[in-house]
Amino acid sequence: MTPLDTPAAPSTASPADAPVLTIPADAPFFVVMNAGSGRRQTDATRAVLERELGGAGRRFELRLVDDPAELAASARMAVEDAIAQSGVVVGAGGDGTLCAVAQATLGSGCPFAVLPRGTFNYFSRDHGIPADLDASTRLLLTARAYPVQVGVVNGRMFLVNASLGLYPKLLEDRETYKRQFGRSRLIALLSAAATLLRRHRHLRLHIEHEGQMREIRTSTLFVGNNRLQLEQIGMKESALLEQGLLAAIAPRAIGRLAQIALSILGAAGRMSDADNVMSFTFRSITVTHPSKRRRRVKIATDGELAWLDMPLEFHVAPEPLFLLKPEPDIALANRS
C-alpha cells in the first residue's frame, strides 16, 4: 500500500463531539420503509412494530413508499411531523434506503433510528445495532441518540461510502443479477467476478487536497465512511474515521487479472498489503478532470446511483446525524 498523501492531522473538533440526546419516553416513531423490499418483509416489519412498540404503549406510524423516487419526499414529511411532535424518524431497509431517510434528518436536530432490512447492513452493524428485527425494534424504546459522522459529495449525503468509476459499475451489475437471481451475498460475489472479467476504462483525475494537486489514473475512486467495511478489506485508515476523517482509496491503473487479484486481497482483509493501491484520509477534497471541461460522472452513494457534475466536492458534513444506538460498550460488543 502506498499513500497518496500524508494522512490529514486529526481535527480537534468533529460532528461526533455534539451532545448525546435522551429521547422522551412518549416520543412517537415515524417509520419510513421502501415497499419495494417485498410484501413479506413489509408484513413482518409491521407485525414486529405492533408487537414491540404498540405493546409498550408507544405510538408509531409505518409509512410505506411504493415508488423509490418518492422516498426522499416521504422522508422530509416524516421529519416535519417528527419535529412537530417531538418524535423520531426511523428508516427501515438497506443502506441505500437508510441514507435517503437520513439525508432528510441531517441538520434538523431530529433523532434518527434504523431497522436493518438489507443484505450487508454496514451502517447499522458498524454502530452495534442488532440485525434481528425484534431486537432492533426494542432498542428504539431505550436507546439514546448519539452524534455520528456522515460524508457529503456535492450535497449528496452518504453513510457508508461514495465512489466513481468501476465500483458504481459493480453495483449496477449487482442489481441486474439480483433482479434475475435473487438477493444474497453469493449472488453479489458472482456478479462482481463477472464485472471484473470485462474490460473497463480507467479514470484520469485531479485531486486537490490540503492545497496540493495530484493527478492519478485509476479504475475507481472510493471514499469510505464506515470503519467496519474498511476493516473487512484490511485498510489501516479505518481507525482514523473516529477522528473526524474520511478515507479515500484509489487502485493504480492495472489490468483485469491484477484487478481480480486485488479484489481477492480485499476479500481476505489484506488490501493494505497491495503495492498498487493509493490511500489517504481527509476532511475535504476536490476531484476534477484534467481537461477542465464540464463533465457529468456516475456516482454511487451507499449503493444508489446518480449523475453529478464535476468538480466533485467530498467532505465530512459539518453537522452530525443523531442516531439511536446502543451505549458505546454494548455497541462495540455488537459489531460484526
Side-chain angles (χ1 to χ4, degrees):
M1 175 77 64
T2 57
L4 179 62
D5 272 310
T6 302
S11 173
T12 56
S14 73
D17 293 327
V20 177
L21 305 180
T22 298
I23 308 303
D26 59 349
F29 298 100
F30 298 88
V31 184
V32 181
M33 183 174 184
N34 183 357
S37 56
R39 176 68 179 274
R40 180 178 298 179
Q41 192 175 96
T42 298
D43 290 345
T45 302
R46 189 189 301 276
V48 171
L49 290 172
E50 290 176 349
R51 181 173 65 250
E52 299 296 341
L53 299 185
R58 293 292 288 275
R59 183 162 59 89
F60 71 90
E61 294 181 19
L62 177 58
R63 301 184 176 185
L64 298 176
V65 183
D66 295 312
D67 183 357
E70 299 296 324
L71 188 59
S74 297
R76 288 192 296 269
M77 292 178 61
V79 170
E80 292 175 3
D81 292 339
I83 291 174
Q85 301 178 49
S86 300
V88 178
V89 172
V90 184
D95 288 326
T97 298
L98 300 185
C99 183
V101 179
Q103 171 106 38
T105 72
L106 187 66
S108 70
C110 179
F112 173 68
V114 303
L115 298 177
R117 306 295 282 153
T119 303
F120 293 97
N121 299 316
Y122 278 116
F123 178 69
S124 57
R125 290 164 60 202
D126 191 32
H127 291 286
I129 296 169
D132 177 73
L133 181 59
D134 294 71
S136 60
T137 304
R138 285 193 295 270
L139 178 65
L140 302 180
L141 299 170
T142 59
R144 295 190 293 167
Y146 284 83
V148 301
Q149 170 180 295
V150 300
V152 177
V153 53
N154 287 23
R156 188 178 177 91
M157 193 186 80
F158 56 95
L159 301 174
V160 179
N161 61 58
S163 60
L164 62 152
L166 179 60
Y167 194 75
K169 179 61 176 173
L170 287 167
L171 297 176
E172 193 172 34
D173 291 348
R174 187 179 74 186
E175 289 306 308
T176 300
Y177 269 66
K178 284 181 177 180
R179 285 193 294 268
Q180 294 178 350
F181 306 110
R183 292 181 175 271
S184 72
R185 296 193 181 195
L186 176 59
I187 295 299
L189 291 173
L190 291 175
S191 169
T195 303
L196 291 173
L197 285 171
R198 295 197 293 269
R199 279 182 72 92
H200 52 268
R201 297 174 59 187
H202 290 116
L203 304 171
R204 288 180 60 229
L205 301 172
H206 280 174
I207 298 180
E208 183 179 349
H209 176 222
E210 296 186 333
Q212 296 184 346
M213 184 74 75
R214 177 80 57 102
E215 180 173 326
I216 66 170
R217 190 165 177 263
T218 181
S219 60
T220 190
L221 175 63
F222 179 95
V223 176
N225 183 49
N226 187 273
R227 291 172 302 171
L228 179 62
Q229 187 178 48
L230 295 180
E231 287 172 357
Q232 285 188 345
I233 62 175
M235 296 302 299
K236 297 177 181 178
E237 288 83 357
S238 60
L240 295 176
L241 298 187
E242 294 183 346
Q243 301 177 24
L245 300 171
L246 300 172
I249 306 169
R252 298 186 188 277
I254 53 179
R256 280 174 285 180
L257 292 180
Q259 188 76 55
I260 292 172
L262 181 61
S263 299
I264 293 173
L265 278 177
R270 296 175 49 203
M271 188 169 285
S272 60
D273 294 341
D275 294 328
N276 52 9
V277 174
M278 301 170 286
S279 64
F280 64 103
T281 54
F282 66 92
R283 285 194 63 84
S284 66
I285 58 172
T286 301
V287 179
T288 59
H289 190 272
S291 71
K292 303 299 183 183
R293 293 201 308 267
R294 183 179 180 85
R295 287 175 177 263
R296 286 173 64 80
V297 292
K298 186 178 290 185
I299 296 287
T301 52
D302 293 345
E304 301 298 316
L305 301 175
W307 287 90
L308 299 181
D309 292 325
M310 294 187 104
L312 301 176
E313 306 280 352
F314 291 89
H315 63 91
V316 175
E319 63 278 332
L321 186 69
F322 287 96
L323 175 68
L324 269 67
K325 65 177 190 173
E327 299 299 311
D329 55 340
I330 299 175
L332 184 62
N334 287 346
R335 287 184 64 206
S336 61

